Amino acid sequence: MTFIWAFLIAGTFCAIGQMILDNTKLTPGHVTSLFTVLGSILAFFGIYDKLIDLAGGGATSIISNFGYMLYTAALEGYENMGILGVFSEMLTKSSTAIVGSIIFAAIFALIFKPKD
Amino acid sequence: MNKDEYQKLVKKYEPKENKFQNVIYAFLIGGLVGFIAEGIIVLLMNFFDLSRLDAGAWTCLIIIFTASLFTALGFFDNWMTKSKAGLLIPTTGFAHSVTSSALDYKKEGLITGLGSNFFKLAGSVILYGILSAFILVIVRVIIGG
């Protein structure tokens, strides 16, 4: 059942993104930023937790999960050590994605030549 | 030929962008990415005895690795255009933007090219993600006490 929800939820997010791209003048850069912010807003209202319970990888593989991880990590940081925790722990969960993309992008950019 | 007729003629030969088809494409491909991600999570949990959280983190890395590699090999740009938002909204879009800007600006030097343009596209995701999360946590703290 998780597999079906993974397909439906990831698909729905992408379909909404495509509708925004087709019907407004926003660029892909706008849309990805918008979905990241949407992720932290959904996390704020406790909706994203439910999406992850329901869809598993379908919810954690989209860019909104980045906003969700930032929000939840910052909130946990606040609970652990107050306002300083918001600053020191916000990136703990999303570190995997950020460091991963930096390392892989840097290595591949150095090895490969751009094709046009 | 008056203006109205001309407009009609222009409309007739304008390439028709099928919005409905675009949305269906985005839905199917995005859904497929979510489906595969869930599949990798389940595989990792069963074969390597990982917790769901660890398996999710590994899956995230695998997706980013694949998207970066495919971008560097040169055929992912084509996939991105064909799949509409289907590969943009998943983490693949983020990895693709970092790798493609790194590749494109490499020729301008390691510091002034690759280094300073690395987050050209992904920077706004990180900036607005952190900004919105920060504001929302502050709001939550003020409301929730």
Side-chain angles (χ1 to χ4, degrees):
Chain A
M1 204 54 204
T2 318
F3 278 95
I4 299 169
W5 280 114
F7 189 92
L8 289 179
I9 293 200
T12 306
F13 270 85
C14 295
I16 294 170
Q18 185 59 39
M19 283 179 206
I20 296 172
L21 277 178
D22 275 346
N23 296 309
T24 62
K25 280 183 181 164
L26 299 179
T27 65
H30 288 100
V31 175
T32 42
S33 307
L34 199 70
F35 272 74
T36 314
V37 175
L38 180 72
S40 50
I41 293 172
L42 289 177
F44 177 80
F45 290 108
I47 301 169
Y48 213 85
D49 283 308
K50 284 175 190 145
L51 286 183
I52 290 178
D53 286 342
L54 198 66
T60 54
S61 64
I62 52 180
I63 195 79
S64 305
N65 189 53
F66 187 63
Y68 163 80
M69 288 191 293
L70 291 172
Y71 174 80
T72 47
L75 194 63
E76 277 168 28
Y78 180 79
E79 279 153 11
N80 291 339
M81 51 194 292
I83 201 75
L84 182 63
V86 176
F87 288 88
S88 64
E89 290 183 26
M90 185 182 275
L91 293 172
T92 46
K93 287 186 178 177
S94 44
S95 178
T96 322
I98 298 178
V99 177
S101 35
I102 292 177
I103 299 291
F104 297 143
I107 292 173
F108 290 142
L110 293 174
I111 297 174
F112 291 93
K113 279 181 181 156
K115 288 178 183 150
D116 29 38
Chain B
M1 199 192 298
N2 64 28
K3 246 184 182 172
D4 282 348
E5 276 174 20
Y6 180 73
Q7 285 297 337
K8 267 182 198 164
L9 207 69
V10 166
K11 224 167 197 170
K12 200 173 156 191
Y13 291 105
E14 236 176 18
K16 270 183 200 148
E17 213 186 348
N18 195 335
K19 287 181 181 174
F20 183 71
Q21 197 185 331
N22 285 354
V23 171
I24 296 295
Y25 259 56
F27 179 80
L28 291 178
I29 293 175
L32 193 67
V33 175
F35 189 85
I36 293 171
E38 176 63 19
I40 300 173
I41 290 180
V42 171
L43 275 179
L44 290 174
M45 279 165 71
N46 288 330
F47 281 99
F48 295 97
D49 228 7
L50 294 173
S51 70
R52 193 164 183 98
L53 213 63
D54 290 351
W58 276 110
T59 307
C60 183
L61 272 181
I62 291 169
I63 292 176
I64 289 172
F65 180 86
T66 318
S68 283
L69 181 65
F70 286 3
T71 307
L73 290 172
F75 54 84
F76 205 71
D77 287 319
N78 198 5
W79 287 17
M80 288 285 288
T81 359
K82 279 190 182 149
S83 65
K84 309 293 169 193
L87 289 173
L88 177 76
I89 303 299
T91 326
T92 48
F94 185 80
H96 170 259
S97 70
V98 179
T99 313
S100 59
S101 53
L103 274 168
D104 286 348
Y105 288 97
K106 188 174 71 165
K107 61 176 182 297
E108 288 172 25
L110 286 183
I111 302 296
T112 51
L114 194 149
S116 49
N117 291 299
F118 203 72
F119 286 111
K120 197 160 195 161
L121 298 158
S124 63
V125 170
I126 297 180
L127 164 63
Y128 292 110
I130 289 181
L131 198 64
S132 63
F134 184 79
I135 293 168
L136 288 168
V137 165
I138 298 299
V139 171
R140 169 71 183 262
V141 165
I142 293 169
I143 295 175

